[in-house]
Amino acid sequence: GSQNVSFIYAPWDYLSLTTVSAVKETVDTIDVYGADINDIDIAVMRSSTWKATAGGDPRYIGGALTRMVAKSAAKELMEKQLSIPSTLVTQDFLLENNVTSLRDLDVALPAMGLPDFVSACWIKTIGGDDDVPVPTPTPTTEAPTTEAPSSGNMVSWLTVPVCVTFGVLHYVMLG
């Protein structure tokens, strides 16, 4: 029975949402850990047994992929594989920092904007709301640890075009 289960890992936010719903209908004591994050996930995490998730802001992931294409076209991206970093987001962090949306999370965790991932001085910051530059923390603000193991978002140079399959991003250099 459920008394032998201490946590459930759901490797996609929609699975996490349905897992939280099922747990709530039964015992409401099983912790849930997931992957991916959006505004709905944040709202549910704040008031449920969903304790942590790892992922990134899809707006900034799109920006990172665009930078990869630009650097590839300029023949400045030589890596055969890149892993897009994930950020660990905990329920405690959301509550302590009054995070209620991805926009709030982007401000509270600047690493979500992937500011140093595949960057170049000639590429304008892109991604997020209206291409607003990624916020930088002030020197007096201690940023929480944002390094987490990759959720497996692996970019491989295989074939055109960009496609997403089971959380794996594939892209091929065009020349």
Side-chain angles (χ1 to χ4, degrees), residues 40-162:
I40 294 169
D41 301 341
I42 290 170
V44 172
M45 280 183 71
R46 289 176 55 86
S47 62
S48 72
T49 61
W50 189 351
K51 299 300 182 189
T53 192
D57 185 326
R59 299 168 296 181
Y60 290 113
I61 291 171
L65 290 171
T66 303
R67 292 192 303 270
M68 288 172 52
V69 170
K71 285 191 76 167
S72 292
K75 306 238 185 275
E76 290 186 16
L77 189 62
M78 301 305 156
E79 293 89 347
K80 295 286 184 194
Q81 293 187 335
L82 295 169
S83 181
I84 297 175
S86 293
T87 303
L88 178 64
V89 179
T90 65
Q91 182 186 62
D92 289 340
F93 182 83
L94 296 176
L95 295 171
E96 290 166 7
N97 291 279
N98 198 30
V99 172
T100 61
S101 68
L102 269 177
R103 181 183 288 259
D104 293 345
L105 188 57
D106 291 339
V107 172
L109 279 176
M112 292 284 288
L114 302 170
D116 299 320
F117 184 76
V118 188
S119 60
C121 63
W122 52 269
I123 299 176
K124 175 183 176 282
T125 301
I126 55 175
D129 294 333
D130 302 316
D131 290 337
V132 176
V134 177
T136 53
T138 60
T140 58
T141 303
E142 284 190 37
T145 301
T146 58
E147 292 298 317
S150 171
S151 64
N153 293 335
M154 185 62 69
V155 179
S156 303
W157 306 97
L158 300 173
T159 185
V160 175
V162 173

Side-chain angles (χ1 to χ4, degrees), residues 2 4-11 15-16 18-20 22-24 26-27 29-35 49-52:
S2 62
N4 296 328
V5 177
S6 57
F7 74 92
I8 297 172
Y9 171 69
L15 293 175
S16 298
T18 55
T19 301
V20 165
V23 166
K24 191 176 220 172
T26 57
V27 293
T29 58
I30 299 171
D31 292 339
V32 177
Y33 297 87
T49 61
W50 189 351
K51 299 300 182 189

